Amino acid sequence: MATPVKTMKAIRWYPPSFDIRVEDIPVPQIQDGDDAIVKVTVRSDLHVYRGHAGVEKIHTSGHEFIGEVVELGSNYGVHSQGRPELYATLKVGDKVVSPFTVNCGECNVCRLGYTCRCPFGALFGSPALEGGQAQYVRIPKAGGTLFNLSDSKSWSSALSDEAKTKALAGIADSSLLMLADILPTGVFAALQAMNHPKILPALSGRPWPASFFPGDASVTMLPEDRVLTFAIIGLGPVGLCACVSLLDMLSAQPLPFQIVAIDPVESRREKALAVYSKIDEAGKGSGKFVAESIDNAKKTVQDWTGGVGCTAVLEIVGNPSAISLAYDLVRPFGAIISVGVHGEPQMPFTGRQLYNKNVSFDFGRCPARAMFPMAFDLLVKRQDVFGGVGGPDCLVDQIVGPNEAPEIYAALTNRR
Amino acid sequence: MATPVKTMKAIRWYPPSFDIRVEDIPVPQIQDGDDAIVKVTVRSDLHVYRGHAGVEKIHTSGHEFIGEVVELGSNYGVHSQGRPELYATLKVGDKVVSPFTVNCGECNVCRLGYTCRCPFGALFGSPALEGGQAQYVRIPKAGGTLFNLSDSKSWSSALSDEAKTKALAGIADSSLLMLADILPTGVFAALQAMNHPKILPALSGRPWPASFFPGDASVTMLPEDRVLTFAIIGLGPVGLCACVSLLDMLSAQPLPFQIVAIDPVESRREKALAVYSKIDEAGKGSGKFVAESIDNAKKTVQDWTGGVGCTAVLEIVGNPSAISLAYDLVRPFGAIISVGVHGEPQMPFTGRQLYNKNVSFDFGRCPARAMFPMAFDLLVKRQDVFGGVGGPDCLVDQIVGPNEAPEIYAALTNRR
């Protein structure tokens, strides 16, 4: 077993906001038999830099990280069979990636796949749990939480074990880091849109409720009824991942589609267009993709759909104006998929507005641990898009050493 | 062709509220080639008696009715092939039931099955369209709107034509009247719950997202994870129809379930229990069904689920306290199906509440015309529950002649 050092560098968040300090603090210790200690090798985080109302506790930031297991609690080993597989198989030296929240993997919520709402859930880099912007991080319930990148057998996906191992070797750590949050969250948004019952009539060619009920398929749908129209609101890293994921899902089916990717910031729209241009022709499916400002996007959806609206809208911002825009853009009987992290403002809708448009909503946090196989497969399949650091179409801009953190944080914040 | 009388009795609604008068008004005439005039034989309605803010126009009430076609516009007959079938086949003398809104049957919205949001949509018995509380009613876009009860070939369902005709003969008009609104709306609520992606992990035994994605079924779900827990809020006629429909759908699958039907009014809870008791043992499925007041229901869901909450909640009231109760009762990653007619109050949720519970919502009006085959099949299959007038478990209490209307309306309102 590796011997941890006694102190380490950590990026500490001080209330109320905009105060980030690099400090020497004690290396975390095993507190529970289910814990693991991970030496962090790649990390990122900006979420709480600006401060959240009511957060008073000094803590280490960082909710996305990759690292190497250096110590395991007493509950690991072959005697832990019957529990999540990682309790039996995880070893010191394994390379791991962690989703941004803890999950036990063995409660009702986790078994259903809703891992981000596990009762043991805590967000790394929050007052509840020290984060990964440090040399070491303690992982509670590590056998349920971590993905073991060193053992492709332990995480299932549509790829063969051989394909997984080979693929993994070709993926930069900066890309793998996307597995912690932004890539599964983008996939989660796209998946919820593509599997929503309100999209099923167009996908199946059988009208509601014949798409579920075998007795009535007397209506003949026209090709134009089956054109799928999507808006993606917010082109930060998660929004770009949602673009790639949605395009990938659409390329697997024959129907025409049209996607408008929306952001007020021109450089982000350019990034979305660059991502789209990097996707090979077969991967683009039979549709069109534009990136537009809010006002232009409203006009585009109006023109595309004759004023009817989008089949589904992906809302990846998390504020009242973004969710209001989603409502304006969605068609009657359309679906709004919101993965944006919303705050305290009340929902800006009356009951009558929602009734009158027959709107469906899916809100909330991505169950990143459960989404890992889908996200990993997409990462492998679309290395042409996700790969590389520093180009105009790169999703992860920079890898930052801990000592540079305060300057980088300030620069990123000023840039916006 | 029958010769319409020159004037007729009609139940007229006067603003602002609680003013219903029986008057003699002109019989409606064909105004458009797509119109039909229907002689009304059975009717009901109470919705707008109390008045809606802003409704100033005197109009004939009634959004639910059955009748006989007495006159057809110029667009009916064999030359209308290629349009919805009823334009070619509807005949004077046919017995028809109308959904509570008009729909053309030949636009993109109708072809998708979202008939209640047709751009030609208008609610019978509203300022936009004279209702069925009269001796005659004009049906715009009748070839898209009506169901022809005299021609079982013209409306598909899982039943054979012979079975449909035979079944129809055994169903009282007071039961058929439920097809106009309350029965399809109840079925719509249950259908949306049972086909929601958030219920799929329990139904399929494959966790999210493996329920969609073939690559990951490594998690073994336990029997307890697959118990379906439902709450039905509001036990008026639509709520009772939702109970029957949900029980019917659950009886077709092997999983255990638990349903709490909720209403503050004891007589309504008793009606729900009476409905349940009338369902034969095979039809009850492998679950339990209780009817409770709000406080008791919260405790029951707490006990049943160890505090986790309901898989899905059906909200059939349409006010802020009902939708708040739905939020309180639903589990993280649960679905709230709201078919209640909501008004102007803002949604009583912050964005953070919705994010933090990963809630899904389906809001809005039932596409009654599209739901007709499912609703009719349920009506036939569950005649033991729906049949009969006047018993404690009867959903339609009384058939009212037009001259009795003011007294009955006043009595019904006072009773609540």
Side-chain angles (χ1 to χ4, degrees):
Chain A
M1 198 174 290
T3 308
V5 295
K6 292 277 163 42
T7 64
M8 64 177 184
K9 298 272 184 213
I11 299 174
R12 303 286 282 175
W13 182 94
Y14 277 74
S17 62
F18 296 102
D19 183 1
I20 294 286
R21 308 179 194 174
V22 178
E23 297 182 333
D24 291 305
I25 62 167
V27 166
Q29 304 294 314
I30 296 284
Q31 295 177 17
D32 179 276
D34 287 349
D35 286 354
I37 306 296
V38 167
K39 181 181 178 184
V40 179
T41 53
V42 192
R43 57 185 73 82
S44 82
D45 196 348
L46 191 68
H47 280 214
V48 297
Y49 182 40
R50 292 182 189 79
H52 280 315
V55 174
E56 298 292 336
K57 190 181 167 192
I58 300 164
H59 60 270
T60 301
S61 61
H63 74 284
E64 299 167 317
F65 52 90
I66 289 177
E68 178 190 320
V69 175
V70 293
E71 193 178 356
L72 287 168
S74 57
N75 295 342
Y76 289 80
V78 289
H79 60 279
S80 287
Q81 279 175 358
R83 302 190 66 194
E85 194 170 346
L86 222 53
Y87 283 106
T89 62
L90 193 63
K91 301 183 304 298
V92 167
D94 282 347
K95 181 178 178 178
V96 291
V97 55
S98 176
F100 60 101
T101 57
V102 168
N103 63 277
C104 76
E106 47 194 341
C107 68
N108 164 275
V109 178
C110 286
R111 283 192 302 266
L112 284 166
Y114 301 144
T115 50
C116 61
R117 296 295 167 212
C118 172
F120 289 97
L123 177 67
F124 286 102
S126 76
L129 184 61
E130 302 282 17
Q133 297 269 35
Q135 291 177 279
Y136 296 87
V137 58
R138 181 180 70 88
I139 316 290
K141 299 286 176 190
T145 301
L146 294 174
F147 322 129
N148 188 358
L149 293 169
S150 296
D151 179 12
S152 64
K153 284 187 173 39
S154 75
W155 35 273
S156 54
S157 87
L159 300 173
S160 69
D161 289 342
E162 190 184 1
K164 283 183 283 191
T165 306
K166 186 178 168 194
L168 192 59
I171 300 176
D173 280 356
S174 57
S175 283
L176 288 174
L177 189 60
M178 292 194 298
L179 289 171
D181 181 351
I182 64 171
L183 183 54
T185 302
V187 176
F188 181 56
L191 181 74
Q192 288 184 100
M194 288 297 292
N195 286 290
H196 200 284
K198 297 285 181 70
I199 200 178
L200 192 55
L203 284 180
S204 68
R206 295 166 58 89
W208 179 282
S211 33
F212 306 109
F213 176 70
D216 186 11
S218 58
V219 177
T220 303
M221 286 172 62
L222 302 183
E224 70 199 61
D225 303 327
R226 304 185 65 188
V227 177
L228 302 165
T229 305
F230 298 94
I232 299 176
I233 301 174
L235 300 177
V238 175
L240 296 180
C241 287
C243 290
V244 178
S245 182
L246 187 61
L247 283 164
D248 184 71
M249 292 177 191
L250 289 167
S251 74
Q253 59 80 46
L255 297 178
F257 60 85
Q258 40 204 9
I259 298 173
V260 56
I262 305 171
D263 202 291
V265 179
E266 188 180 0
S267 63
R268 289 176 155 209
R269 296 198 299 271
E270 285 170 359
K271 196 166 264 197
L273 292 174
V275 161
Y276 181 65
S277 74
K278 277 202 99 175
I279 295 177
D280 59 276
E281 286 308 313
K284 284 187 166 81
S286 53
K288 50 192 171 189
F289 181 98
V290 301
E292 291 184 344
S293 65
I294 293 168
D295 287 343
N296 288 348
K298 285 182 177 175
K299 196 171 168 304
T300 294
V301 170
Q302 175 88 17
D303 293 346
W304 278 353
T305 67
V308 171
C310 295
T311 321
V313 180
L314 283 59
E315 187 274 297
I316 312 180
V317 178
N319 65 32
S321 64
I323 198 85
S324 289
L325 176 61
Y327 177 85
D328 291 342
L329 292 177
V330 81
R331 65 170 294 151
F333 280 88
I336 295 173
I337 312 299
S338 168
V339 298
V341 183
H342 283 269
E344 289 303 336
Q346 203 175 351
M347 276 290 110
F349 307 115
T350 70
R352 181 156 297 169
Q353 285 178 301
L354 302 179
Y355 179 84
N356 280 349
K357 215 168 180 178
N358 277 73
V359 179
S360 289
F361 289 95
D362 292 320
F363 284 97
R365 174 182 280 173
C366 171
R369 179 63 185 80
M371 297 295 296
F372 174 69
M374 280 195 78
F376 181 76
D377 282 5
L378 184 67
L379 188 62
V380 170
K381 187 175 172 188
R382 299 293 181 189
Q383 263 302 290
D384 51 337
V385 184
F386 294 117
V389 174
D393 49 352
C394 167
L395 297 178
V396 179
D397 283 300
Q398 297 187 48
I399 296 178
V400 184
N403 279 323
E404 303 168 73
E407 293 74 15
I408 295 285
Y409 269 48
L412 285 171
T413 301
N414 292 335
R415 196 175 67 178
R416 296 210 211 171
Chain B
M1 197 173 289
T3 308
V5 295
K6 291 278 164 45
T7 64
M8 65 176 185
K9 298 273 183 212
I11 299 173
R12 303 286 284 176
W13 183 93
Y14 277 74
S17 63
F18 296 104
D19 184 1
I20 293 286
R21 309 179 193 172
V22 178
E23 296 182 333
D24 291 305
I25 62 167
V27 166
Q29 304 295 314
I30 297 285
Q31 294 175 18
D32 179 277
D34 287 349
D35 286 354
I37 305 297
V38 167
K39 182 181 177 182
V40 178
T41 53
V42 192
R43 57 185 74 81
S44 83
D45 195 350
L46 192 67
H47 280 212
V48 296
Y49 182 40
R50 293 182 189 80
H52 280 313
V55 174
E56 297 294 336
K57 190 180 166 190
I58 299 164
H59 60 268
T60 302
S61 60
H63 73 284
E64 297 167 319
F65 53 90
I66 288 177
E68 178 191 320
V69 176
V70 293
E71 194 177 354
L72 288 168
S74 57
N75 295 342
Y76 288 80
V78 288
H79 60 281
S80 286
Q81 277 175 0
R83 302 190 66 194
E85 193 170 345
L86 223 51
Y87 283 105
T89 60
L90 193 63
K91 300 183 306 296
V92 167
D94 282 348
K95 181 178 179 179
V96 291
V97 55
S98 177
F100 61 103
T101 57
V102 167
N103 62 278
C104 75
E106 46 195 342
C107 68
N108 164 275
V109 177
C110 286
R111 284 192 302 266
L112 284 166
Y114 300 145
T115 50
C116 61
R117 295 295 168 211
C118 172
F120 289 97
L123 178 67
F124 285 102
S126 76
L129 184 61
E130 301 282 17
Q133 297 269 35
Q135 291 178 278
Y136 296 88
V137 58
R138 182 180 69 90
I139 317 290
K141 298 284 174 193
T145 302
L146 294 174
F147 321 128
N148 187 358
L149 293 169
S150 296
D151 178 12
S152 64
K153 284 187 174 40
S154 75
W155 34 274
S156 54
S157 87
L159 300 174
S160 69
D161 288 342
E162 191 184 1
K164 283 183 284 191
T165 307
K166 185 178 170 195
L168 191 60
I171 300 176
D173 279 356
S174 58
S175 282
L176 288 174
L177 189 61
M178 292 195 298
L179 290 171
D181 181 350
I182 64 172
L183 182 54
T185 302
V187 176
F188 180 59
L191 181 74
Q192 288 184 101
M194 288 298 291
N195 286 289
H196 200 283
K198 296 286 180 69
I199 199 177
L200 192 55
L203 284 180
S204 67
R206 294 166 58 89
W208 178 283
S211 33
F212 307 108
F213 177 70
D216 187 11
S218 58
V219 178
T220 303
M221 286 172 62
L222 302 183
E224 70 201 60
D225 303 327
R226 303 186 65 187
V227 177
L228 302 165
T229 305
F230 298 94
I232 299 176
I233 301 174
L235 300 176
V238 175
L240 296 180
C241 287
C243 290
V244 179
S245 182
L246 186 61
L247 283 163
D248 184 71
M249 293 178 192
L250 289 166
S251 74
Q253 59 80 48
L255 297 178
F257 59 86
Q258 40 205 10
I259 298 174
V260 56
I262 306 171
D263 202 292
V265 180
E266 187 180 0
S267 63
R268 289 177 155 209
R269 297 197 299 271
E270 284 171 359
K271 196 166 264 196
L273 292 173
V275 160
Y276 181 66
S277 74
K278 279 202 97 174
I279 295 177
D280 58 278
E281 286 308 314
K284 284 187 166 79
S286 53
K288 51 191 169 188
F289 181 99
V290 302
E292 291 184 344
S293 65
I294 293 169
D295 286 344
N296 287 348
K298 285 181 178 175
K299 196 170 167 306
T300 294
V301 170
Q302 176 88 17
D303 292 347
W304 278 353
T305 67
V308 171
C310 295
T311 322
V313 180
L314 283 57
E315 187 274 297
I316 312 182
V317 179
N319 65 32
S321 65
I323 198 85
S324 289
L325 176 61
Y327 177 87
D328 291 343
L329 293 176
V330 81
R331 65 171 292 151
F333 281 87
I336 295 174
I337 312 298
S338 167
V339 299
V341 183
H342 284 268
E344 289 305 334
Q346 203 175 352
M347 277 290 108
F349 307 115
T350 70
R352 180 156 296 169
Q353 284 178 302
L354 302 179
Y355 179 84
N356 279 350
K357 214 169 181 177
N358 278 72
V359 179
S360 290
F361 288 97
D362 292 320
F363 284 97
R365 173 181 280 172
C366 171
R369 178 62 184 82
M371 297 295 295
F372 174 70
M374 279 193 79
F376 181 77
D377 283 4
L378 184 67
L379 188 62
V380 170
K381 186 174 173 188
R382 298 293 181 191
Q383 262 304 289
D384 53 337
V385 183
F386 293 117
V389 175
D393 50 353
C394 166
L395 298 177
V396 178
D397 283 301
Q398 297 186 47
I399 296 178
V400 184
N403 280 323
E404 303 168 74
E407 294 74 16
I408 295 284
Y409 269 48
L412 286 171
T413 302
N414 292 335
R415 195 175 66 179
R416 295 210 211 173

